[in-house]
Amino acid sequence: MSLAYVKLTNDEKGIHYGLFVDSELISVVSLFIFPEQKTAQFRKFATLKNYQGKGYGSQLLNYVINEAKDQKITKIWCNARIEKIAFYKKFGLQETKHTFVKNNMLYVIMENHFQLINKY
């Protein structure tokens, strides 16, 4: 997709991550943290087609989830395409009852709740 398609009005508030292989950007994701609610949303998660299914996107998503936990986030969520539900379940995200259609694609909001552990 074009840059205009993926650009959000609040992009400057996100943390944007990329995974490189041999100097080529192959996977991206943006994390938006809402500290007052202790929640975070990841968006714009994509991996180049010829690198999909090789674990690169999973590495990047695991990194972002751990970053959210480090920021004391108690819930992370995303807008998942229906056909990707099984993928996100591998990361502990569960479907909610909230669905919507965008660009003729059906999405469901998926989320994972974390328990904060006090370290003394």
Side-chain angles (χ1 to χ4, degrees):
M1 296 293 181
S2 71
L3 182 59
Y5 178 82
V6 297
K7 186 160 175 44
L8 302 172
T9 55
N10 62 349
D11 258 349
E12 71 283 352
K13 295 180 181 177
I15 306 166
H16 309 284
Y17 298 89
L19 185 111
F20 291 81
V21 171
D22 297 326
S23 301
E24 181 181 11
L25 179 63
I26 60 128
S27 190
V28 296
V29 66
S30 296
L31 182 65
F32 295 85
I33 296 174
F34 309 98
E36 61 283 350
Q37 291 109 10
K38 295 186 179 179
T39 64
Q41 179 188 21
F42 65 89
R43 301 183 72 172
K44 305 193 292 183
F45 178 44
T47 301
L48 291 176
K49 197 164 223 62
N50 55 329
Y51 288 94
Q52 291 177 6
K54 298 179 180 181
Y56 294 114
S58 293
Q59 287 178 28
L60 186 57
L61 189 53
N62 274 322
Y63 183 85
V64 167
I65 289 170
N66 286 326
E67 284 292 304
K69 288 177 182 178
D70 288 347
Q71 296 293 321
K72 308 293 187 244
I73 295 304
T74 58
K75 180 178 88 171
I76 193 165
W77 61 282
C78 73
N79 299 327
R81 293 191 321 262
I82 293 294
E83 67 271 12
K84 295 296 182 180
I85 289 173
F87 174 78
Y88 290 117
K89 282 187 173 185
K90 292 189 273 184
F91 299 90
L93 282 89
Q94 296 298 316
E95 301 163 72
T96 68
K97 294 179 182 180
H98 305 285
T99 61
F100 62 95
V101 175
K102 180 179 177 186
N103 297 325
N104 294 320
M105 288 188 272
L106 183 59
Y107 289 82
V108 61
I109 295 175
M110 296 187 72
E111 57 188 32
N112 188 350
H113 294 266
F114 310 121
Q115 287 187 317
L116 296 179
I117 300 171
N118 289 327
K119 296 179 183 177
Y120 292 102

